[in-house]
Amino acid sequence: MVTSNFIKNIITDDLETGKHNSIITRFPPEPNGYLHIGHAKSICLNFGLADEFEGKVNLRFDDTNPIKEDTEYVNAIKKDIEWLNFEWDELHFASNYFDIMYEKAQLLIKKGLAYVCELTPDEMREYRGTLTDAGKFSPYRERSVEENLDLLERMKQGEFEDGSKVLRAKIDMASSNMNMRDPIIYRISHNIHHNTGDKWCIYPMYDFAHPLEDAIENITHSLCSLEFEDHRPLYDWFVKECEMESTPRQIEFARLNMTNTVMSKRKLKELVDNDVVDGWDDPRMPTIAGFRRRGYTPTSIRNLCREIGVSKADSVIDSQMLDYFVREDLLPKAQLAMTILRPLKVVITNYPEGQVEYVEIENNPKDESAGTRKLPFSREIYIEREDFMEVPVKKYFRLFVGNEVRLKGAYFIKCNEVIHDENGEVAEIHCTYDPETKSGSGFTGRKVKATIHWLSAKEAQKAEFRLFEPLILDDVPENEGKHFLEQINPNSLEVIEGLIEAEATKNASPLDKFQFVRHGFFSVDTKYTTNDKLVFNRVVSLKSSFKI
Ligand code: ATP
Ligand code: MG
């Protein structure tokens, strides 16, 4: 459900007044890159409205630029929308309408509303005028209908070079809206198109193509981002002058922006092309594919989009907002397991050598039906390095010589001795355990102030953990004229070889979610995980670290 907003009000009105019997929206990505979280907002809005008003929603690839578009992107976009759990009614390609668009361009010429212009881009800019000065007429503006039709046809036949001619609408060179000053309708581009191949060497401009696409598909409400507000008069002009049978209405809403990242396919492609990240689905990328690989869930993304709603005011949301929603989603679902990211060996000197016992651990304290599992306990275990201090700071309650803690689900252990390596670093510590203190035994003899987690050394398995920080250092990239590539966080990825509880993760497959005690939510990586080694991406740390 989309919460109430100005777009819903418009639709409700249109249905009540009988302007429309039902609605059709569309999501119209250009297949020139992978979708990002900003697109998710548009997807949730368009698909959400169609759902709520029992209308339809089309997925339409706005593929009018042969150079940047690719089938790889088409497939990735479809996959992302499906992953978000949305279903489109019809799938279209703007390029399938090229014939109709061409006929409409001819119609405009016949109506005296379009002409072939040969000004260079610089000249065209100069002729366009400024916000305070009217533009000048192009010397080609008064060509005859016949000449224009002939030239357009020859443009289409490939007689002219890229950039040598364009087709322009003849509207108003004095308009206060610069978009109305004879905008370009068609340009020449001798390139192979991902869908139409070499059939065309002229391509329609967005401002001309988009309203026609919407009208052809009987879109009732065409939602786009705020920067197109000034283009709306042109949108309406093309629908009217091309004599389209249906009249879609363009409505603008604010784009979604996020802190510490960039949000445009072009910039994200630069990150990929410059090897700043490892592909479009790098877990640090704000792409839907990146979020998926990192371990965010469709529900968390949809809930975020619902929460931010739609408005006319541009806003930047904190990247941590999504973290809130993914924790909420994963908390009841993710299986709990123990991992040790930075291991320190503990020898329990009074525990019999070679003995193994199994302690019972809940699979998910928030969900009893998840059951319990057995964890091996033995004389040699690993704990986190940070759970021991040689010289404890004030209020440090974990292990130091002379102090006792609880091993989660097992016994109290007390530290007696520190063993150093040749460099003077702590190599291992020696402790003793108290058999009376077994977890669940009802022992009340004395209390300890800290519980720490652990893994039996022999049974623990090696695993790789990938921890992430924001990709871009600045909250608002490109502040003060800086280029975002100069603000890459050098520490955005940390790869750690650690240990994991073998039993809990033995059947793990890519994208499975876990909550690793004290370390946060993790997802099995789709690219680096092999039969021999599990690789985990940290989705998000735990909100409040384990209380000690
Ligand atoms: P980009 O610059 O990232 O390529 P775009 O607007 O050119 O973005 P399109 O593929 O044309 O991308 O976008 C498809 C739809 O998604 C459009 O309707 C567009 O308005 C919407 N959209 C794109 N970015 C955002 C965003 N950050 N917030 C909300 N909607 C967005
Ligand atoms: Mg674009």
Side-chain angles (χ1 to χ4, degrees), residues 120-266:
T120 65
D122 280 342
E123 287 167 338
M124 213 178 283
R125 208 167 299 126
E126 187 208 318
Y127 275 67
R128 182 166 286 131
T130 64
L131 283 172
T132 46
D133 296 309
K136 287 188 293 188
F137 287 168
S138 158
Y140 306 99
R141 204 174 195 255
E142 296 310 326
R143 277 184 156 138
S144 69
V145 169
E146 289 66 35
E147 194 184 356
N148 278 317
L149 286 174
D150 176 60
L151 284 171
L152 180 64
E153 184 59 26
R154 288 163 61 198
M155 280 168 66
K156 182 182 169 218
Q157 296 306 333
E159 270 189 43
F160 310 116
E161 277 173 38
D162 290 9
S164 60
K165 290 182 175 51
V166 293
L167 182 70
R168 296 175 71 178
K170 192 195 279 188
I171 309 180
D172 180 2
M173 287 306 291
S175 173
S176 58
N177 183 337
M178 300 296 281
N179 296 304
M180 302 299 274
R181 295 189 184 178
D182 292 10
I184 299 175
I185 299 178
Y186 265 98
R187 67 194 191 289
I188 302 173
S189 175
H190 290 268
N191 281 289
I192 299 295
H193 185 277
H194 81 102
N195 184 29
T196 56
D198 63 358
K199 179 174 176 201
W200 295 88
C201 63
I202 57 171
Y203 291 92
M205 302 300 286
Y206 177 90
D207 279 335
F208 171 67
H210 207 85
L212 300 193
E213 295 158 22
D214 284 343
I216 291 166
E217 292 175 21
N218 295 314
I219 302 302
T220 54
H221 300 85
S222 172
L223 314 179
C224 65
S225 35
L226 227 42
E227 70 270 24
F228 291 102
E229 197 163 15
D230 285 351
H231 297 235
R232 195 185 335 130
L234 186 54
Y235 181 100
D236 293 340
W237 190 89
F238 280 126
V239 171
K240 176 165 171 273
E241 297 301 345
C242 291
E243 301 174 15
M244 304 307 290
E245 275 169 31
S246 106
T247 309
R249 171 169 177 185
Q250 174 180 305
I251 305 170
E252 308 84 17
F253 65 94
R255 289 176 91 88
L256 167 66
N257 287 302
M258 234 186 215
T259 57
N260 299 97
T261 191
V262 286
M263 195 75 81
S264 109
K265 292 192 227 97
R266 182 180 59 75

Side-chain angles (χ1 to χ4, degrees), residues 418-432:
V418 188
I419 313 294
H420 296 93
D421 62 16
E422 62 267 27
N423 303 320
E425 302 287 338
V426 177
E428 59 182 47
I429 60 173
H430 289 183
C431 296
T432 43

Side-chain angles (χ1 to χ4, degrees), residues 30 32 68 255 265:
E30 183 182 0
N32 62 344
K68 297 190 209 152
R255 289 176 91 88
K265 292 192 227 97

Side-chain angles (χ1 to χ4, degrees), residues 16 221 231 241 281 407 416 463 492:
E16 275 173 12
H221 300 85
H231 297 235
E241 297 301 345
D281 68 346
L407 291 178
N416 305 308
S492 61

Side-chain angles (χ1 to χ4, degrees), residues 479-499:
N479 245 356
E480 297 154 15
K482 280 183 261 173
H483 190 278
F484 69 94
L485 286 178
E486 291 162 24
Q487 299 179 74
I488 302 297
N489 178 0
N491 304 316
S492 61
L493 169 66
E494 186 183 2
V495 180
I496 297 176
E497 293 294 327
L499 296 168

